[in-house]
Coordinates of all heavy atoms in Angstrom, one line a residue:
M27 N 0.8 -1.2 0.0 CA 0.0 0.0 0.0 C 0.9 1.2 0.0 O 1.8 1.4 0.8 CB -0.9 0.0 1.2 CG -1.8 1.2 1.4 SD -2.9 0.8 2.7 CE -3.9 2.2 2.5
P28 N 0.7 2.2 -0.9 CA 1.6 3.3 -1.0 C 1.4 4.2 0.2 O 0.3 4.4 0.7 CB 1.1 4.0 -2.3 CG 0.2 3.1 -3.0 CD -0.3 2.1 -2.0
F29 N 2.4 4.9 0.5 CA 2.5 5.8 1.6 C 2.9 7.2 1.0 O 3.9 7.3 0.4 CB 3.5 5.4 2.7 CG 3.7 6.4 3.7 CD1 2.8 6.7 4.7 CD2 4.9 7.2 3.8 CE1 3.0 7.6 5.7 CE2 5.1 8.2 4.7 CZ 4.1 8.4 5.7
I30 N 2.1 8.2 1.2 CA 2.4 9.5 0.6 C 3.0 10.4 1.7 O 2.3 10.6 2.7 CB 1.1 10.1 0.0 CG1 0.5 9.2 -1.1 CG2 1.4 11.5 -0.5 CD1 -0.8 9.7 -1.6
S31 N 4.2 10.8 1.4 CA 4.9 11.6 2.4 C 4.4 13.1 2.3 O 3.6 13.4 1.5 CB 6.4 11.6 2.2 OG 6.7 12.3 1.0
S32 N 5.0 13.9 3.2 CA 4.6 15.3 3.2 C 5.1 16.0 2.0 O 4.7 17.1 1.6 CB 5.1 16.0 4.5 OG 6.5 15.8 4.6
H33 N 6.1 15.4 1.3 CA 6.7 16.0 0.1 C 5.7 15.6 -1.0 O 5.4 14.4 -1.2 CB 8.1 15.4 -0.2 CG 8.8 16.2 -1.2 ND1 8.6 15.9 -2.6 CD2 9.7 17.1 -1.2 CE1 9.3 16.7 -3.3 NE2 10.0 17.4 -2.5
P34 N 5.2 16.6 -1.8 CA 4.1 16.3 -2.8 C 4.5 15.3 -3.9 O 3.7 14.7 -4.5 CB 3.8 17.6 -3.3 CG 4.9 18.5 -3.0 CD 5.6 18.0 -1.8
T35 N 5.8 15.2 -4.2 CA 6.2 14.3 -5.3 C 6.8 13.0 -4.9 O 7.2 12.2 -5.7 CB 7.2 15.0 -6.2 OG1 8.4 15.4 -5.5 CG2 6.6 16.3 -6.9
L36 N 6.9 12.8 -3.6 CA 7.5 11.6 -3.1 C 6.5 10.6 -2.7 O 5.7 10.8 -1.8 CB 8.5 11.9 -2.0 CG 9.3 10.8 -1.4 CD1 10.2 10.2 -2.4 CD2 10.0 11.2 -0.2
V37 N 6.4 9.5 -3.4 CA 5.5 8.4 -3.0 C 6.4 7.2 -2.8 O 7.2 6.7 -3.6 CB 4.5 8.1 -4.1 CG1 3.7 6.8 -3.7 CG2 3.6 9.3 -4.3
T38 N 6.3 6.6 -1.6 CA 7.1 5.4 -1.2 C 6.1 4.3 -0.8 O 4.9 4.5 -0.6 CB 8.1 5.7 -0.1 OG1 7.4 6.1 1.1 CG2 9.1 6.7 -0.5
H39 N 6.6 3.2 -0.6 CA 5.8 2.1 -0.1 C 6.1 2.0 1.4 O 7.2 2.0 1.9 CB 6.2 0.7 -0.7 CG 5.7 0.7 -2.1 ND1 4.4 0.4 -2.5 CD2 6.3 0.9 -3.3 CE1 4.2 0.5 -3.8 NE2 5.4 0.8 -4.3
A40 N 5.0 1.8 2.2 CA 5.1 1.7 3.7 C 5.9 0.4 4.0 O 5.7 -0.6 3.3 CB 3.8 1.7 4.3
P41 N 6.7 0.4 5.0 CA 7.5 -0.8 5.3 C 6.6 -1.9 5.8 O 5.6 -1.6 6.6 CB 8.5 -0.4 6.3 CG 8.0 0.9 6.9 CD 7.1 1.5 5.8
R42 N 6.8 -3.1 5.4 CA 6.0 -4.2 5.9 C 6.8 -4.9 7.0 O 8.0 -4.9 7.1 CB 5.7 -5.2 4.8 CG 4.9 -4.7 3.7 CD 4.7 -5.7 2.6 NE 4.0 -5.2 1.5 CZ 3.8 -5.9 0.4 NH1 4.1 -7.1 0.4 NH2 3.1 -5.3 -0.6
R43 N 6.0 -5.6 7.8 CA 6.7 -6.3 8.9 C 7.1 -7.7 8.5 O 6.9 -8.7 9.1 CB 5.7 -6.4 10.1 CG 6.3 -7.0 11.3 CD 5.5 -6.8 12.6 NE 6.0 -7.7 13.6 CZ 7.0 -7.4 14.4 NH1 7.6 -6.3 14.3 NH2 7.3 -8.3 15.4
G44 N 7.7 -7.8 7.4 CA 8.2 -9.1 6.9 C 7.2 -9.7 5.9 O 6.1 -10.0 6.3
S45 N 7.6 -9.8 4.7 CA 6.8 -10.4 3.7 C 6.6 -11.9 4.0 O 7.4 -12.5 4.8 CB 7.3 -10.2 2.3 OG 8.5 -11.0 2.2
L46 N 5.6 -12.5 3.4 CA 5.4 -13.9 3.6 C 6.6 -14.7 3.1 O 6.9 -15.7 3.8 CB 4.1 -14.3 2.8 CG 3.7 -15.8 2.8 CD1 3.4 -16.2 4.3 CD2 2.5 -16.0 2.0
A47 N 7.2 -14.3 2.1 CA 8.4 -15.0 1.6 C 9.5 -15.0 2.6 O 10.2 -16.0 2.8 CB 8.8 -14.5 0.2
M48 N 9.7 -13.8 3.2 CA 10.8 -13.7 4.1 C 10.5 -14.5 5.4 O 11.4 -15.1 5.9 CB 11.0 -12.2 4.5 CG 11.8 -11.4 3.4 SD 13.3 -12.2 2.9 CE 14.3 -12.0 4.4
R49 N 9.3 -14.5 5.8 CA 8.9 -15.3 7.0 C 9.1 -16.8 6.7 O 9.6 -17.5 7.6 CB 7.5 -15.0 7.5 CG 7.4 -13.6 8.1 CD 6.0 -13.5 8.7 NE 5.1 -13.6 7.5 CZ 3.9 -13.0 7.4 NH1 3.6 -12.2 8.3 NH2 3.2 -13.2 6.4
A50 N 8.8 -17.2 5.5 CA 8.9 -18.6 5.1 C 10.4 -19.0 5.0 O 10.8 -20.0 5.5 CB 8.3 -18.9 3.8
L51 N 11.2 -18.0 4.5 CA 12.7 -18.3 4.4 C 13.3 -18.4 5.8 O 14.1 -19.3 6.1 CB 13.3 -17.2 3.6 CG 14.9 -17.3 3.5 CD1 15.2 -18.6 2.8 CD2 15.4 -16.1 2.8
R52 N 12.9 -17.5 6.7 CA 13.4 -17.6 8.1 C 13.0 -18.9 8.8 O 13.8 -19.5 9.5 CB 12.9 -16.4 8.9 CG 13.6 -15.1 8.6 CD 13.2 -14.0 9.6 NE 13.4 -12.7 9.0 CZ 12.4 -12.0 8.5 NH1 11.1 -12.3 8.7 NH2 12.7 -10.8 7.9
A53 N 11.8 -19.3 8.6 CA 11.3 -20.6 9.2 C 12.1 -21.7 8.6 O 12.5 -22.7 9.3 CB 9.8 -20.8 8.9
F54 N 12.4 -21.7 7.3 CA 13.2 -22.8 6.7 C 14.6 -22.8 7.2 O 15.1 -23.9 7.5 CB 13.2 -22.6 5.2 CG 14.1 -23.5 4.4 CD1 13.7 -24.8 4.2 CD2 15.3 -23.2 4.0 CE1 14.5 -25.8 3.6 CE2 16.2 -24.0 3.3 CZ 15.7 -25.4 3.1
V55 N 15.2 -21.6 7.4 CA 16.6 -21.6 7.9 C 16.6 -22.1 9.4 O 17.5 -22.8 9.7 CB 17.1 -20.1 7.9 CG1 18.4 -20.0 8.6 CG2 17.3 -19.7 6.4
R56 N 15.6 -21.7 10.2 CA 15.5 -22.2 11.6 C 15.4 -23.7 11.6 O 16.1 -24.4 12.4 CB 14.3 -21.6 12.3 CG 14.6 -20.3 12.9 CD 13.5 -19.8 13.9 NE 12.2 -19.9 13.4 CZ 11.5 -19.0 12.7 NH1 12.1 -17.8 12.6 NH2 10.3 -19.1 12.3
M57 N 14.6 -24.3 10.7 CA 14.4 -25.7 10.7 C 15.7 -26.4 10.2 O 16.0 -27.5 10.7 CB 13.2 -26.1 9.8 CG 11.9 -25.8 10.4 SD 10.5 -26.5 9.5 CE 10.5 -25.6 8.0
T58 N 16.4 -25.8 9.3 CA 17.6 -26.4 8.8 C 18.7 -26.4 9.9 O 19.3 -27.4 10.1 CB 18.1 -25.6 7.6 OG1 17.2 -25.6 6.5 CG2 19.4 -26.2 7.0
H59 N 18.8 -25.3 10.6 CA 19.7 -25.3 11.8 C 19.3 -26.3 12.9 O 20.2 -27.0 13.4 CB 19.8 -23.9 12.4 CG 20.5 -22.9 11.5 ND1 20.4 -21.6 11.7 CD2 21.3 -23.1 10.4 CE1 21.1 -20.9 10.7 NE2 21.7 -21.8 10.0
L60 N 18.1 -26.4 13.2 CA 17.6 -27.3 14.2 C 17.9 -28.8 13.7 O 18.4 -29.6 14.5 CB 16.1 -27.1 14.5 CG 15.5 -28.1 15.5 CD1 16.3 -27.9 16.8 CD2 14.1 -27.7 15.7
S61 N 17.6 -29.0 12.5 CA 17.9 -30.4 12.0 C 19.4 -30.7 12.1 O 19.8 -31.8 12.5 CB 17.5 -30.5 10.5 OG 17.7 -31.7 10.0
A62 N 20.3 -29.7 11.7 CA 21.7 -30.0 11.9 C 22.1 -30.2 13.3 O 23.0 -31.0 13.6 CB 22.5 -28.8 11.2
Q63 N 21.5 -29.4 14.2 CA 21.9 -29.6 15.6 C 21.5 -31.0 16.1 O 22.2 -31.6 16.9 CB 21.2 -28.5 16.5 CG 21.8 -27.1 16.2 CD 21.0 -26.1 16.9 OE1 20.0 -26.3 17.5 NE2 21.4 -24.8 16.7
R64 N 20.3 -31.4 15.7 CA 19.8 -32.7 16.1 C 20.7 -33.8 15.5 O 20.9 -34.8 16.2 CB 18.4 -32.9 15.8 CG 17.5 -32.1 16.7 CD 16.0 -32.2 16.3 NE 15.2 -31.6 17.3 CZ 13.9 -31.2 17.1 NH1 13.3 -31.4 15.9 NH2 13.2 -30.6 18.0
R65 N 21.1 -33.6 14.3 CA 22.0 -34.6 13.7 C 23.3 -34.7 14.4 O 23.9 -35.8 14.7 CB 22.2 -34.2 12.2 CG 22.8 -35.3 11.3 CD 22.7 -35.0 9.8 NE 22.9 -33.6 9.5 CZ 21.9 -32.8 9.1 NH1 20.7 -33.2 9.0 NH2 22.2 -31.6 8.7
A66 N 23.8 -33.5 14.8 CA 25.1 -33.5 15.6 C 24.9 -34.2 16.9 O 25.8 -34.9 17.4 CB 25.6 -32.0 15.7
L67 N 23.8 -33.9 17.5 CA 23.5 -34.6 18.8 C 23.5 -36.1 18.7 O 24.0 -36.8 19.6 CB 22.2 -34.1 19.4 CG 21.7 -34.7 20.7 CD1 22.6 -34.2 21.8 CD2 20.3 -34.2 21.0
S68 N 23.0 -36.6 17.6 CA 23.0 -38.0 17.4 C 24.3 -38.7 17.3 O 24.5 -39.9 17.4 CB 22.1 -38.4 16.2 OG 22.8 -38.1 15.0
H69 N 25.4 -37.9 17.0 CA 26.7 -38.4 16.7 C 27.6 -38.3 18.0 O 28.8 -38.7 18.0 CB 27.4 -37.7 15.6 CG 26.8 -38.1 14.3 ND1 25.8 -37.4 13.7 CD2 27.0 -39.1 13.4 CE1 25.4 -37.9 12.5 NE2 26.1 -39.0 12.4
L70 N 27.1 -37.7 19.1 CA 27.9 -37.5 20.3 C 28.1 -38.9 21.0 O 27.1 -39.7 21.1 CB 27.3 -36.5 21.2 CG 27.2 -35.0 20.7 CD1 26.6 -34.2 21.8 CD2 28.6 -34.5 20.4
D71 N 29.2 -39.1 21.5 CA 29.4 -40.3 22.3 C 28.9 -40.2 23.7 O 28.5 -39.1 24.1 CB 30.9 -40.8 22.3 CG 31.8 -39.8 23.0 OD1 31.4 -39.1 24.0 OD2 33.0 -39.8 22.7
V72 N 28.8 -41.3 24.4 CA 28.1 -41.3 25.8 C 28.8 -40.4 26.7 O 28.2 -39.8 27.6 CB 28.0 -42.7 26.3 CG1 29.3 -43.3 26.7 CG2 27.0 -42.8 27.4
Y73 N 30.2 -40.2 26.6 CA 30.9 -39.3 27.5 C 30.5 -37.9 27.3 O 30.3 -37.1 28.3 CB 32.4 -39.6 27.3 CG 32.8 -41.0 27.6 CD1 33.2 -41.8 26.6 CD2 32.8 -41.5 28.9 CE1 33.5 -43.1 26.9 CE2 33.2 -42.8 29.2 CZ 33.5 -43.6 28.2 OH 33.9 -44.9 28.4
L74 N 30.4 -37.5 26.1 CA 30.0 -36.1 25.8 C 28.5 -35.9 26.2 O 28.2 -34.8 26.7 CB 30.2 -35.7 24.4 CG 31.7 -35.6 23.9 CD1 31.8 -35.4 22.4 CD2 32.4 -34.5 24.6
L75 N 27.7 -36.8 25.9 CA 26.3 -36.7 26.4 C 26.2 -36.6 27.9 O 25.4 -35.7 28.4 CB 25.5 -37.9 25.9 CG 25.2 -38.0 24.4 CD1 24.6 -39.3 24.0 CD2 24.4 -36.8 23.9
N76 N 26.9 -37.4 28.6 CA 26.9 -37.2 30.1 C 27.4 -35.9 30.5 O 26.9 -35.3 31.5 CB 27.8 -38.3 30.7 CG 27.1 -39.7 30.7 OD1 25.9 -39.8 30.6 ND2 27.9 -40.7 30.7
D77 N 28.4 -35.4 29.8 CA 28.9 -34.0 30.1 C 27.9 -32.9 30.0 O 27.9 -32.0 30.8 CB 30.1 -33.7 29.2 CG 31.0 -32.6 29.7 OD1 31.2 -32.5 30.9 OD2 31.4 -31.8 28.8
I78 N 27.0 -33.1 29.1 CA 25.9 -32.1 28.9 C 24.6 -32.4 29.6 O 23.6 -31.7 29.5 CB 25.7 -31.7 27.4 CG1 25.1 -32.9 26.6 CG2 26.9 -31.1 26.7 CD1 24.7 -32.7 25.2
G79 N 24.6 -33.6 30.3 CA 23.5 -34.0 31.1 C 22.4 -34.6 30.3 O 21.2 -34.4 30.7
V80 N 22.7 -35.3 29.2 CA 21.7 -35.9 28.4 C 22.0 -37.4 28.3 O 23.1 -37.8 28.0 CB 21.7 -35.3 26.9 CG1 20.7 -36.0 26.0 CG2 21.4 -33.8 27.0
S81 N 21.0 -38.2 28.5 CA 21.2 -39.6 28.4 C 21.2 -40.0 26.9 O 20.6 -39.3 26.0 CB 20.1 -40.4 29.1 OG 18.9 -40.3 28.3
P82 N 21.8 -41.2 26.5 CA 21.8 -41.6 25.1 C 20.3 -41.8 24.6 O 20.0 -41.5 23.5 CB 22.5 -42.9 25.2 CG 23.4 -42.8 26.3 CD 22.7 -42.0 27.4
E83 N 19.4 -42.2 25.5 CA 18.0 -42.4 25.0 C 17.4 -41.0 24.7 O 16.7 -40.9 23.8 CB 17.2 -43.1 26.1 CG 15.8 -43.3 25.8 CD 15.5 -44.0 24.4 OE1 16.3 -44.9 24.0 OE2 14.5 -43.6 23.8
E84 N 17.7 -40.0 25.6 CA 17.1 -38.7 25.3 C 17.7 -38.1 24.1 O 17.0 -37.5 23.3 CB 17.5 -37.8 26.5 CG 16.7 -38.0 27.8 CD 17.3 -37.3 29.0 OE1 18.5 -37.1 29.1 OE2 16.4 -36.8 29.8
A85 N 19.0 -38.4 23.8 CA 19.6 -37.9 22.6 C 19.0 -38.5 21.4 O 18.7 -37.9 20.4 CB 21.1 -38.1 22.6
R86 N 18.8 -39.8 21.4 CA 18.1 -40.5 20.3 C 16.7 -40.0 20.0 O 16.3 -39.8 18.9 CB 18.1 -42.0 20.6 CG 19.4 -42.8 20.2 CD 19.2 -44.3 20.2 NE 18.9 -44.8 21.6 CZ 19.9 -45.1 22.5 NH1 21.1 -44.9 22.1 NH2 19.6 -45.5 23.7
R87 N 16.0 -39.8 21.1 CA 14.6 -39.3 21.0 C 14.6 -37.9 20.4 O 13.8 -37.6 19.5 CB 13.9 -39.3 22.4 CG 12.5 -39.2 22.3 CD 11.8 -39.3 23.7 NE 12.7 -39.0 24.8 CZ 12.9 -39.7 25.9 NH1 12.3 -40.8 26.1 NH2 13.8 -39.3 26.8
E88 N 15.4 -37.1 20.9 CA 15.5 -35.7 20.3 C 16.0 -35.7 18.9 O 15.4 -34.9 18.0 CB 16.4 -34.8 21.2 CG 16.5 -33.4 20.8 CD 15.2 -32.6 20.9 OE1 14.4 -32.9 21.8 OE2 15.0 -31.7 20.1
A89 N 17.0 -36.5 18.5 CA 17.5 -36.5 17.2 C 16.5 -37.1 16.2 O 16.6 -36.7 15.0 CB 18.8 -37.3 17.2
S90 N 15.6 -37.9 16.6 CA 14.6 -38.5 15.7 C 13.4 -37.6 15.5 O 12.6 -37.9 14.6 CB 14.1 -39.8 16.3 OG 13.3 -39.6 17.4
R91 N 13.3 -36.4 16.2 CA 12.2 -35.5 16.0 C 12.3 -34.8 14.6 O 13.4 -34.5 14.2 CB 12.1 -34.5 17.1 CG 11.8 -35.1 18.4 CD 11.9 -34.1 19.6 NE 10.9 -33.1 19.4 CZ 10.7 -32.1 20.3 NH1 11.5 -32.0 21.3 NH2 9.8 -31.2 20.1
P92 N 11.2 -34.5 14.0 CA 11.2 -33.8 12.7 C 11.7 -32.4 12.9 O 11.5 -31.8 14.0 CB 9.8 -33.9 12.1 CG 9.0 -34.3 13.3 CD 9.8 -35.0 14.3
A93 N 12.2 -31.7 11.9 CA 12.7 -30.4 12.0 C 11.7 -29.4 12.4 O 12.0 -28.4 13.1 CB 13.4 -30.0 10.7
W94 N 10.5 -29.6 12.0 CA 9.4 -28.6 12.3 C 8.9 -28.8 13.7 O 8.1 -27.9 14.2 CB 8.3 -28.6 11.3 CG 7.6 -30.0 11.3 CD1 6.6 -30.4 12.1 CD2 7.9 -31.1 10.4 NE1 6.3 -31.7 11.8 CE2 7.0 -32.1 10.8 CE3 8.8 -31.3 9.4 CZ2 7.0 -33.4 10.1 CZ3 8.7 -32.5 8.7 CH2 7.9 -33.5 9.1
D95 N 9.3 -29.8 14.4 CA 8.8 -30.1 15.8 C 9.7 -29.4 16.8 O 10.6 -30.0 17.3 CB 8.7 -31.6 16.0 CG 8.1 -32.0 17.3 OD1 7.5 -31.1 18.0 OD2 8.2 -33.1 17.7
A96 N 9.5 -28.1 17.1 CA 10.3 -27.4 18.0 C 9.3 -26.6 18.9 O 8.3 -26.0 18.4 CB 11.2 -26.5 17.3
P97 N 9.6 -26.5 20.2 CA 8.8 -25.6 21.1 C 8.8 -24.2 20.6 O 9.8 -23.7 20.0 CB 9.6 -25.7 22.4 CG 10.4 -26.9 22.4 CD 10.7 -27.1 20.9
S98 N 7.8 -23.5 20.8 CA 7.6 -22.1 20.3 C 8.7 -21.2 20.8 O 9.2 -20.2 20.2 CB 6.3 -21.5 20.5 OG 6.0 -21.5 21.9
H99 N 9.2 -21.4 22.1 CA 10.2 -20.5 22.6 C 11.5 -20.7 22.0 O 12.4 -19.9 22.2 CB 10.3 -20.7 24.2 CG 10.8 -22.0 24.6 ND1 10.0 -23.1 24.8 CD2 12.0 -22.4 25.0 CE1 10.7 -24.1 25.2 NE2 11.9 -23.7 25.3
W100 N 11.7 -21.8 21.2 CA 13.0 -22.0 20.5 C 12.9 -21.2 19.1 O 14.0 -21.1 18.5 CB 13.2 -23.4 20.1 CG 13.6 -24.3 21.3 CD1 13.7 -23.9 22.6 CD2 13.9 -25.6 21.2 NE1 14.1 -25.0 23.4 CE2 14.3 -26.1 22.5 CE3 14.1 -26.5 20.2 CZ2 14.7 -27.4 22.8 CZ3 14.5 -27.8 20.5 CH2 14.7 -28.2 21.8
Q101 N 11.8 -20.8 18.7 CA 11.6 -20.3 17.4 C 11.8 -18.8 17.2 O 11.6 -18.2 16.2 CB 10.2 -20.7 16.8 CG 10.1 -22.2 16.7 CD 8.7 -22.7 16.3 OE1 7.9 -21.9 15.8 NE2 8.4 -23.9 16.5
G102 N 12.2 -18.2 18.3 CA 12.6 -16.8 18.3 C 11.8 -15.9 17.5 O 11.6 -15.2 16.7

């Protein structure tokens, strides 16, 4: 939607709060990063898992979740 400024010959477009394409791209990037993190988690050995306080079963369960399955507070 055009925005008409106080200058009579200047017509600009009002800024949008993120187009649908940009929001979709951000969501795709978040899912890609989450998927990579889960894949990395699945490759940690038991000693590293113990170091971060995660059991091997918890790591397997988390790593098997789909990329779109993330709590809303992770989605920034």
Side-chain angles (χ1 to χ4, degrees):
M27 176 172 190
F29 171 75
I30 301 175
S31 73
S32 59
H33 192 279
T35 61
L36 182 62
V37 175
T38 61
H39 289 280
R42 295 182 187 177
R43 184 166 166 85
S45 68
L46 179 59
M48 285 305 295
R49 288 185 302 213
L51 179 60
R52 283 188 206 105
F54 175 77
V55 169
R56 277 193 307 269
M57 285 190 292
T58 302
H59 287 163
L60 180 57
S61 180
Q63 291 171 1
R64 286 177 173 162
R65 195 170 34 257
L67 180 66
S68 73
H69 290 93
L70 295 179
D71 64 29
V72 72
Y73 299 107
L74 291 173
L75 291 173
N76 286 335
D77 194 40
I78 62 172
V80 176
S81 73
E83 179 56 35
E84 290 170 322
R86 276 191 293 277
R87 196 175 24 226
E88 183 64 30
S90 69
R91 293 173 65 179
W94 61 84
D95 185 12
S98 61
H99 66 276
W100 288 6
Q101 298 176 14

